[in-house]
Amino acid sequence: MTLSTRTVRFKQVDVFTSVPFRGNPLAVIFDADDLTTERMQAIARWTNLSETTFILRPTDPRADYRVRIFTTATELPFAGHPTLGTAHALLESGYAPKVPGTLVQECGVGLVRLAKRADAQWAFAAPPARIAPLDDDQQKRLADALAPVAIDFSAPPCAVDNGVPWLLIRLRDAAQCLAMTLSPAARQALTALVAEVGTHGIVVYGPHDGGAPATFELRTLLLGAENIEDPVTGSANAALAVLLTAQGKRPGDAYTVRQGTALGREGRVSIAYDDRANGAPVWIGGDSVTVVDGTFRF
């Protein structure tokens, strides 16, 4: 068999951290215009990371670049840590944005704006989200599955879809979030529930006491085809930011989230609201650091 000599630029980036191995890794493949969907999926399956992105020329003249996002099993129209990680990789490679300090990413949900903030972090504007509260029976089944962890029903659990659908559940505090474990029976019940409401999994979050390193602790558990806990999840944090506003629970104009603690990671997500613009966009930011830089051959 003759091996292909085609090579493209490749980076593996750790997202929502400035320290390698503490965030959520992402594989970024450059110059992917001539790759088929099947080849992209095969590469994503091989990298075996939660997501792999492929950078292509944009089809919309307003965009700086186009990205396709793949898990090991499927393509996603949007995801948060791949959005920040791809932007980091592209800028580090020497790309000059069309408008300094901003980027426009074209992806499955359309155009996603990114901006460089005063603290030098990059942030993306959360896409619009659809919010669907659970009915009484679904809330009861959810509470039974998570017991003895206590749900804070002052913020009712909701399915939130911004391109990646999640079931968001507020717990009484951060300690309960970190202590949560799922028995096989609970996992089975939750898997059935998330399938019923059309989400990929559950997002549990709880407030920290004052003086803690973050406003909220958050965990994302995928249920179904992938039964894993995601280290740090941009789409889930974007969904939470929108839901907090909708439920009147927004903690001011900015707040922070710690995620990945239960996995030995130290992800940090910064959320800021901009009420001056139409639609009061939510900005989801964080650091990224390159861990692997080289070429990919196939």
Side-chain angles (χ1 to χ4, degrees):
M1 179 183 295
T2 302
L3 293 177
S4 168
T5 57
R6 169 138 160 73
T7 60
V8 295
R9 291 174 296 164
F10 165 81
K11 290 179 185 285
Q12 189 160 314
V13 179
D14 211 6
V15 186
F16 290 120
T17 181
S18 59
V19 180
F21 318 125
R22 294 308 234 172
N24 198 356
L26 171 75
V28 182
I29 308 293
F30 292 73
D31 310 315
D33 293 274
D34 62 347
L35 294 182
T36 65
T37 297
E38 292 73 22
R39 179 57 66 91
M40 291 182 187
Q41 186 64 76
I43 292 171
R45 191 177 302 116
W46 182 83
T47 65
N48 202 33
L49 298 176
S50 57
E51 280 97 13
T52 298
T53 62
F54 298 84
I55 300 177
L56 307 94
R57 291 186 295 271
T59 61
D60 189 314
R62 295 170 293 177
D64 286 270
Y65 60 98
R66 182 161 68 99
V67 67
R68 295 182 68 179
I69 305 167
F70 288 79
T71 71
T72 57
T74 191
E75 184 173 4
L76 299 176
F78 168 76
H81 103 273
T83 294
L84 280 182
T86 301
H88 167 84
L90 185 65
L91 291 165
E92 190 181 64
S93 75
Y95 177 78
K98 291 180 178 180
V99 178
T102 68
L103 285 169
V104 178
Q105 171 184 285
E106 181 182 351
C107 58
V109 296
L111 300 180
V112 175
R113 290 180 294 153
L114 295 101
K116 187 176 183 180
R117 304 195 305 199
D119 60 4
Q121 280 189 349
W122 280 80
F124 66 86
R130 298 189 303 273
I131 300 172
L134 301 190
D135 62 31
D136 291 343
D137 176 67
Q138 290 167 337
Q139 289 192 30
K140 182 180 184 305
R141 284 185 280 146
L142 179 63
D144 290 343
L146 290 182
V149 168
I151 298 173
D152 179 359
F153 283 105
S154 72
C158 291
V160 182
D161 187 352
N162 56 16
V164 184
W166 298 108
L167 173 55
L168 272 67
I169 307 152
R170 185 178 180 119
L171 304 180
R172 288 185 180 171
D173 54 43
Q176 294 226 2
C177 182
L178 288 172
M180 186 193 72
T181 59
L182 297 181
S183 68
R187 189 174 291 274
Q188 183 178 8
L190 290 171
T191 300
L193 182 58
V194 299
E196 182 180 320
V197 299
T199 67
H200 290 328
I202 64 170
V203 176
V204 294
Y205 68 100
H208 280 283
D209 293 332
T215 311
F216 294 107
E217 190 74 34
L218 185 144
R219 296 174 66 184
T220 301
L221 286 82
L222 289 86
L223 298 164
E226 298 178 273
N227 279 284
I228 59 171
E229 180 167 350
D230 195 48
V232 200
T233 318
S235 62
N237 277 283
L240 174 59
V242 172
L243 182 62
L244 289 170
T245 296
Q247 294 183 330
K249 296 284 188 177
R250 191 173 112 177
D253 293 332
Y255 67 91
T256 56
V257 170
R258 186 175 74 174
Q259 188 178 353
T261 311
L263 300 174
R265 309 287 180 91
E266 293 183 4
R268 293 290 189 277
V269 185
S270 301
I271 293 86
Y273 295 92
D274 185 0
D275 294 327
R276 296 169 299 173
N278 292 333
V282 183
W283 294 90
I284 312 300
D287 291 314
S288 296
V289 58
T290 299
V291 178
V292 179
D293 193 346
T295 58
F296 198 96
R297 185 175 70 178
F298 51 90

